[in-house]
Amino acid sequence: FLIDGQMPTAFCHQQHNGTAWNVSTWEAKSFKDAVRTLHDTGMQLSVHCFGDAAVDLTLDAFEAAMNANPRPDPRHRLEHVVITTPEATKRIKDLGVVVSTNPHFIYIAGDSYLNIFGPERENRAMVTREWLENGIHMAIGSDAPTTPFYSPQATMVGGMVRPTFSKKTLNEEQCITFEEALRAQTYEAAY
């Protein structure tokens, strides 16, 4: 989301025009230790990730915990997952991590992504089609109560049309079908 027209933070590998780009919420070792401890209890973990570096740090932590203490179907989850790399898509699939994203964020903040992230990363915003084509379990939801859109229809339209506030379609190649949106909103959310 935007605060006074600025993206507050998005931990990324490369500089962006938001407030902070190279600051992680957690120090890497402490984060990995916490993930390992929680994984060892048998919990399913859900981590909010906005930038590509945040996603990669979380995947590193999930992978280390799963390698140290393998268990069937840990089903850890990435929340939001706004900016990723193609390499992260492969890792998400290989690790069996679930993506839980909010495509109506594109309506709320999509017009700012070009200014904040630049054209290359703007096109990496919520690559829903890429995730589905790679066999990743992808859920979509409203992120209530933090967004103004509580209806599942807004979330589904966000995934199917990817409209920004200015009526631009953000990376049309990532649009999903009605059936895919319905499955992501229901079956995959329950998964």
Side-chain angles (χ1 to χ4, degrees):
F1 295 116
L2 303 178
I3 298 174
D4 296 327
Q6 287 288 317
M7 188 70 59
T9 60
F11 182 38
C12 289
H13 292 297
Q14 297 174 348
Q15 186 170 356
H16 60 67
N17 294 321
T19 305
W21 67 275
N22 60 350
V23 178
S24 174
T25 303
W26 286 72
E27 181 275 324
K29 183 181 181 326
S30 297
F31 178 68
K32 290 176 183 179
D33 290 346
V35 166
R36 168 76 190 274
T37 298
L38 293 169
H39 171 84
D40 287 350
T41 69
M43 296 178 87
Q44 290 177 315
L45 304 179
S46 175
V47 179
H48 288 226
C49 301
F50 202 96
D52 53 10
V55 169
D56 290 344
L57 173 62
T58 303
L59 293 173
D60 289 346
F62 286 168
E63 184 172 24
M66 290 168 20
N67 286 340
N69 183 9
R71 65 176 213 245
D73 196 21
R75 212 176 295 188
H76 298 316
R77 192 170 74 231
L78 299 170
E79 293 291 327
H80 307 313
V81 202
V82 176
I83 302 293
T84 61
T85 64
E87 296 78 20
T89 295
K90 180 176 179 351
R91 291 185 70 201
I92 291 166
K93 169 63 176 168
D94 291 347
L95 294 171
V97 171
V98 175
V99 169
S100 175
T101 193
N102 317 97
H104 64 283
F105 283 6
I106 293 168
Y107 181 78
I108 296 168
D111 286 324
S112 67
Y113 291 168
L114 177 61
N115 179 51
I116 292 170
F117 297 112
E120 184 177 323
R121 284 185 290 181
E122 177 195 39
N123 280 330
R124 296 291 313 160
M126 290 184 223
V127 289
T128 49
R129 167 67 43 218
E130 178 178 300
W131 294 327
L132 289 180
E133 288 179 355
N134 280 276
I136 292 169
H137 285 280
M138 180 188 74
I140 60 174
S142 70
D143 199 37
T146 61
T147 66
F149 303 112
Y150 290 106
S151 73
Q153 294 89 335
T155 301
M156 291 174 63
V157 166
M160 293 163 31
V161 182
R162 299 173 61 92
T164 68
F165 185 77
S166 69
K167 307 294 185 240
K168 171 185 161 188
T169 297
L170 184 63
N171 195 356
E172 186 174 5
E173 292 151 5
Q174 294 299 325
C175 289
I176 59 177
T177 67
F178 172 78
E179 291 79 9
E180 291 165 335
L182 183 61
R183 180 180 173 91
Q185 182 79 45
T186 57
Y187 177 86
E188 295 294 344
Y191 177 85

